[in-house]
Amino acid sequence: MACIGLNAFKEFSVSDSEIARRKEIITKAYNYGFPLVLMEYSKKAMLTKTQTKANEFNHVSTFPDWKFRDVVRPNLDTYYSNAWLDLSNGPVVVTVPATKRYYLIPALDAYTNVFSSVGTRTTGTKAQKFVYTGPNWSGKVPKGMQQIKCPTNMVWLLGRIEVHNQKDGETIVADIQDEIYIKPLKCHRKVTYRSNSFSSEIYTAKEPPIDYVKNLSIEEFFTKMSYLMKINPPAKSDSVFIEELKEIDFEIGDGFSLGMFSDEEKEIYSNIPEEVQAKWDENSYGEQTKSWNFYKENIGNYGINYEHRAYISAIGLGANLPEDAVYPMTTVDKNLEDLNGEYNYVIHFAKEEIPSVNGFWSLTCYNNNDFLVHNELNRYAIGDRCNLKFNKDGSLDIYLQAQKPSNYTSINWLPIPEDATFSLVLRMYWPKKEVFKSNYQLPCVKKISN
């Protein structure tokens, strides 16, 4: 760590304005680094749990059920294919097969920005080979391959493939996943390549990565952040902020200590993680349209909006670009009262209100802990791949209640928890242009008689 002038800070009194300025920079730095540190520990946790290495896909070919507790608000629309790329040893080639299924493989840099998203929407459905190259690589990409330039050597590929139901996933989609693989550019036709860079990284913490990172002290956090910034250099657009870091004696790659500050300052700065996290909790979830909230913009790629980037990583690491998917969410009914399983509800989609997508859509219910709801049908989501019954005028009613409806409406029934609050997430994959218009609305959840 840079040591010039450390004692000088102790010899002279520090004004309130100087303390305020340093607190401002440290707060900004915490927001800046949170996604970077969270990505690092999430990588370790995932590689440890799946027993995979860098540059190797982990294909998940099952759907979660109500017992699943690994992540909150799990998705029941797609099978996941995860890979952590290490490009420090050279480019890698990702091969995808021809398929008629909707799929996307967004690529996130070490700071959680989505810088590329291959798939049905962007690159089509033919068989393709993509060459992911690191920021310092210069070379020739073979004919017939498409280069994807990566801003950092650490990249997270978070692939998703459309699944219609469990049988479909087991018999068709799992086979598609097997044809998605990674090999190094230098030997992509011959042998499977695995980097050794991540091979020794073991996640030993008992709590999930998000909790572990939130509980790091300010010194532990910034020390980890400084080393990660050396491995994954900041973007050019961050240059002004990088200069500001010098005011708190933060040097990339040199760790960090509060030793240069007075006891009064140490106490102030040590509380910054808690203060920042509390501010995230006060955030609203995107734009509100009637009783639904969701992000139509400013997600997936954040520029220099470090606070928003940190907040999104904290509530939903791996967020998609809105063009690929939007996830409206609600916890209230038409009257803005909390949704509760002691009541029955309906969502009435007029014909023109049915989710407007090029891909597909689904509605999922989560309990007050953001996990799936146990029910007799083992039905956790409902959507356009189900055999829904539409009304004669083309409208659609989705019934939300704890007990099975007595008539045909059970086809359109999504179970909710008994006598407890819950939330709903409407996932819209590859939304159409009208979804992004300011006047776009979704119908409210309405309470009906029990």
Side-chain angles (χ1 to χ4, degrees):
M1 172 178 174
C3 296
I4 298 175
L6 294 189
N7 291 329
F9 282 98
K10 297 180 179 180
E11 294 174 1
F12 302 99
S13 61
V14 181
S15 68
D16 289 345
S17 61
E18 288 176 298
I19 293 176
R21 171 60 177 167
R22 291 174 190 164
K23 182 179 180 182
E24 177 187 356
I25 294 172
I26 294 174
T27 299
K28 186 176 181 180
Y30 187 83
N31 276 307
Y32 177 88
F34 189 87
L36 176 65
V37 178
L38 180 59
M39 281 281 278
E40 173 69 9
Y41 283 102
S42 296
K43 176 196 72 180
K44 288 183 177 182
M46 290 184 193
L47 293 181
T48 300
K49 181 173 181 178
T50 61
Q51 297 184 337
T52 51
K53 297 181 180 180
N55 304 331
E56 180 177 86
F57 269 112
N58 173 50
H59 297 301
V60 181
S61 302
T62 58
F63 274 144
D65 60 17
W66 67 275
K67 298 177 183 178
F68 180 82
R69 293 292 186 273
D70 286 0
V71 296
V72 296
R73 296 178 186 166
N75 155 356
L76 290 105
D77 301 311
T78 66
Y79 279 175
Y80 281 99
S81 294
N82 288 280
W84 292 89
L85 304 185
D86 174 14
L87 302 175
S88 59
N89 292 328
V92 298
V93 178
V94 175
T95 298
V96 298
T99 175
K100 295 181 180 180
R101 288 302 172 94
Y102 174 83
Y103 80 97
L104 67 156
I105 308 178
L108 287 79
D109 66 20
Y111 297 86
T112 72
N113 294 297
V114 178
F115 61 88
S116 167
S117 185
V118 306
T120 306
R121 178 181 70 86
T122 54
T123 55
T125 57
K126 65 181 181 180
Q128 296 173 84
K129 292 182 183 291
F130 301 96
V131 183
Y132 290 78
T133 61
N136 300 318
W137 185 80
S138 59
K140 187 175 181 180
V141 174
K143 186 177 180 180
M145 297 186 184
Q146 180 177 332
Q147 182 180 11
I148 296 178
K149 296 181 180 181
C150 307
T152 58
N153 280 318
M154 182 172 78
V155 174
W156 184 22
L157 299 183
L158 187 52
R160 302 169 179 87
I161 305 176
E162 174 187 2
V163 181
H164 297 163
N165 51 54
Q166 184 172 343
K167 183 178 179 181
D168 171 68
E170 294 172 349
T171 59
I172 297 177
V173 180
D175 289 341
I176 297 173
Q177 288 180 303
D178 288 341
E179 296 183 61
I180 301 174
Y181 58 90
I182 303 171
K183 290 186 178 180
L185 177 61
K186 57 188 176 184
C187 56
H188 69 93
R189 291 189 182 91
K190 295 181 180 179
V191 298
T192 299
Y193 166 79
R194 296 181 182 178
S195 165
N196 292 320
S197 299
F198 298 162
S199 60
S200 62
E201 303 207 16
I202 304 297
Y203 186 77
T204 58
K206 294 181 180 179
E207 64 265 53
I210 181 67
D211 294 333
Y212 180 83
V213 174
K214 282 184 175 181
N215 290 331
L216 289 173
S217 70
I218 195 74
E219 287 185 312
E220 292 171 326
F221 179 89
F222 279 145
T223 296
K224 189 65 177 179
M225 171 181 160
S226 73
Y227 290 123
L228 290 172
M229 288 174 69
K230 184 176 182 179
I231 299 170
N232 301 284
K236 291 181 180 180
S237 58
D238 297 331
S239 59
V240 173
F241 166 69
I242 301 305
E243 283 298 310
E244 292 178 333
L245 285 176
K246 295 178 181 179
E247 297 182 42
I248 59 169
D249 211 46
F250 182 103
E251 294 288 345
I252 295 175
D254 285 345
F256 181 80
S257 172
L258 291 178
M260 63 181 286
F261 302 115
S262 67
D263 290 342
E264 176 190 3
E265 288 181 278
K266 288 178 184 176
E267 183 175 355
I268 292 172
Y269 306 149
S270 294
N271 292 327
I272 285 176
E274 184 177 348
E275 293 174 3
V276 170
Q277 293 166 29
K279 191 172 182 181
W280 294 342
D281 292 339
E282 294 170 2
N283 262 307
S284 62
Y285 187 80
E287 175 184 343
Q288 183 166 2
T289 59
K290 292 186 179 179
S291 61
W292 294 87
N293 292 279
F294 64 108
Y295 284 107
K296 298 181 184 180
E297 56 186 5
N298 301 325
I299 191 169
N301 207 309
Y302 309 92
I304 59 172
N305 192 340
Y306 308 137
E307 182 177 358
H308 185 59
R309 184 175 70 187
Y311 166 63
I312 295 298
S313 72
I315 66 167
L317 186 67
N320 288 305
L321 296 172
E323 294 84 356
D324 280 324
V326 294
Y327 296 164
M329 183 191 79
T330 187
T331 59
V332 296
D333 64 15
K334 182 180 180 180
N335 298 320
L336 302 184
E337 296 177 346
D338 288 343
L339 297 173
N340 195 300
E342 66 178 300
Y343 303 107
N344 294 341
Y345 300 91
V346 64
I347 304 177
H348 175 76
F349 292 93
K351 184 177 181 179
E352 65 275 9
E353 292 178 323
I354 292 172
S356 183
V357 293
N358 292 298
F360 55 98
W361 65 268
S362 72
L363 181 71
T364 309
C365 175
Y366 301 99
N367 65 22
N368 50 20
N369 292 315
D370 290 329
F371 296 120
L372 299 171
V373 177
H374 184 213
N375 64 88
E376 61 182 275
L377 290 184
N378 290 323
R379 180 183 292 170
Y380 308 110
I382 199 166
D384 60 359
R385 287 153 297 151
C386 302
N387 187 27
L388 298 174
K389 184 176 179 62
F390 287 76
N391 300 318
K392 291 181 179 180
D393 61 0
S395 64
L396 175 67
D397 294 311
I398 301 293
Y399 294 90
L400 310 166
Q401 53 192 79
Q403 303 301 322
K404 182 178 180 180
S406 58
N407 53 29
Y408 75 88
T409 58
S410 61
I411 297 173
N412 293 15
W413 171 44
L414 180 62
I416 61 177
E418 291 189 42
D419 300 325
T421 56
F422 65 93
S423 62
L424 299 170
V425 174
L426 179 65
R427 289 181 168 85
M428 303 168 67
Y429 296 87
W430 193 2
K432 292 185 177 179
K433 291 181 179 180
E434 52 261 36
V435 172
F436 299 100
K437 294 180 180 178
S438 59
N439 62 350
Y440 182 79
Q441 299 283 347
L442 289 169
C444 296
V445 181
K446 295 181 181 180
K447 189 184 299 181
I448 56 177
S449 58
N450 287 17

